[in-house]
Amino acid sequence: MEQALKARIQAWSTSPNPLLRALSRAFRSLGYVRRFILNSRIRSEQLTRLFHCASHYQGATYSEPDRYPELFTACASHLKNTPDPIILSFGCATGEEAFSLAEYLPNATIIGVDINSWCLRQCIQKNCSPCIQFLHNSSPNYATLANLDAIFCMAVFQRSENRNHTAAIAHGNFTFARFEQQIASLDAKLKPGGLFFIDHSDFSFEDTTVAAHYTPLEFEDNQFLHKRPLFGRDNALITTQYTMHRAFQKHSA
């Protein structure tokens, strides 16, 4: 019944009858309001974008356990002789990445950071480990965080609007300049010799200024074929299919 109604509303949106098109818009608006009121996850996504537009990137809060096993394995291998490493999961969503990293590196302190307060509440409710902590992106504790051994930025620096393969320019106010500024901020928190993991981004880490101070990590799965839009320093579309490194090591001082 519900699917049939959705199909009918969708059909109305392209009807030559202006009244039906107006009804379609009205029903879609009502549906949005209903989801906003009843679904706390959707409500948090919209409110976060509204109130944190200057420091907000990926709108979705979806995550899953052990999402990047080859990268987690590479991190554990490179840090195996590092006593008590500190690892940042930037844009941790509901915490699955942080919890997965703790399994690969049981001697590490894992810090998950996100800008969505609803996500952080889910993380804290699920967390049973004293070695895992979660911070808000605007908290003083995150601002002073430094000397990290590894940083993960997985599926953070992207906008769903940019996944449209016909988009010639990166969407809205998420520009390369903002991306580069955030990368520089994270770089300042990473110690010399530290590891930087980044994937599913609208822009290339290797186009940033700080990339000159990094070398791609050498392991079999570091280069990965992406089939998604990639934008350049001028925010213009470069390609929709490319191979890119996902893990880098900061040069030693």
Side-chain angles (χ1 to χ4, degrees):
M1 178 71 174
E2 185 176 348
Q3 291 301 320
L5 179 59
K6 287 181 179 179
R8 180 170 294 183
I9 293 171
Q10 179 61 36
W12 288 349
S13 68
T14 57
S15 170
N17 187 323
L19 177 59
L20 290 180
R21 294 199 302 272
L23 281 172
S24 175
R25 290 192 297 270
F27 274 111
R28 288 203 300 270
S29 296
L30 286 172
Y32 169 80
V33 171
R34 178 176 180 272
R35 291 192 299 273
F36 182 87
I37 293 172
L38 298 179
N39 190 313
S40 59
R41 178 190 288 267
I42 291 175
R43 188 164 62 250
S44 75
E45 293 173 355
Q46 297 302 318
L47 291 176
T48 299
R49 174 167 287 194
L50 176 64
F51 291 110
H52 299 282
C53 58
S55 51
H56 177 265
Y57 307 107
Q58 166 71 290
T61 54
Y62 170 78
S63 187
E64 60 184 35
D66 204 17
R67 196 172 178 183
Y68 305 97
E70 66 280 10
L71 301 186
F72 298 160
T73 298
C75 182
S77 176
H78 278 78
L79 296 180
K80 63 183 178 182
N81 296 322
T82 302
D84 306 318
I86 303 175
I87 300 173
L88 173 65
S89 172
F90 184 77
C92 65
T94 49
E96 284 75 11
E97 180 175 281
F99 298 130
S100 297
L101 282 166
E103 295 181 5
Y104 282 83
L105 297 104
N107 64 321
T109 295
I110 312 295
I111 302 172
V113 169
D114 206 274
I115 201 166
N116 185 314
S117 297
W118 178 88
C119 283
L120 292 173
R121 288 195 295 272
Q122 313 311 306
C123 294
I124 292 168
Q125 289 173 8
K126 293 185 288 187
N127 186 22
C128 299
S129 171
C131 297
I132 306 174
Q133 58 181 291
F134 295 97
L135 303 173
H136 194 276
N137 188 62
S138 62
S139 68
N141 287 341
Y142 175 64
T144 57
L145 198 62
N147 294 316
L148 299 172
D149 293 282
I151 295 175
F152 281 81
C153 303
M154 314 305 291
V156 176
F157 298 119
Q158 60 174 334
R159 283 282 178 84
S160 57
E161 300 93 331
N162 288 336
R163 298 301 296 273
N164 181 351
H165 285 226
T166 64
I169 300 292
H171 181 84
N173 65 349
F174 184 38
T175 62
F176 180 85
R178 282 190 61 199
F179 169 73
E180 185 167 45
Q181 182 181 37
Q182 181 63 77
I183 293 296
S185 174
L186 290 167
D187 168 69
K189 297 180 179 296
L190 187 66
K191 66 173 56 174
L195 308 179
F196 200 116
F197 295 85
I198 180 169
D199 199 13
H200 299 296
S201 171
D202 289 339
F203 303 100
S204 170
F205 173 84
E206 293 180 88
D207 283 343
T208 66
T209 302
V210 301
H213 305 293
Y214 287 79
T215 301
L217 277 180
E218 293 188 7
F219 64 98
E220 184 178 356
D221 298 309
N222 193 3
Q223 293 198 68
F224 185 79
L225 176 64
H226 295 78
K227 295 183 179 180
R228 53 168 296 148
L230 177 70
F231 300 87
R233 292 183 62 89
D234 60 355
N235 304 308
L237 180 67
I238 298 174
T239 184
T240 57
Q241 182 168 308
Y242 54 95
T243 300
M244 183 177 290
H245 291 104
R246 302 184 290 166
F248 304 85
Q249 184 167 27
K250 191 173 183 177
H251 298 166
S252 300

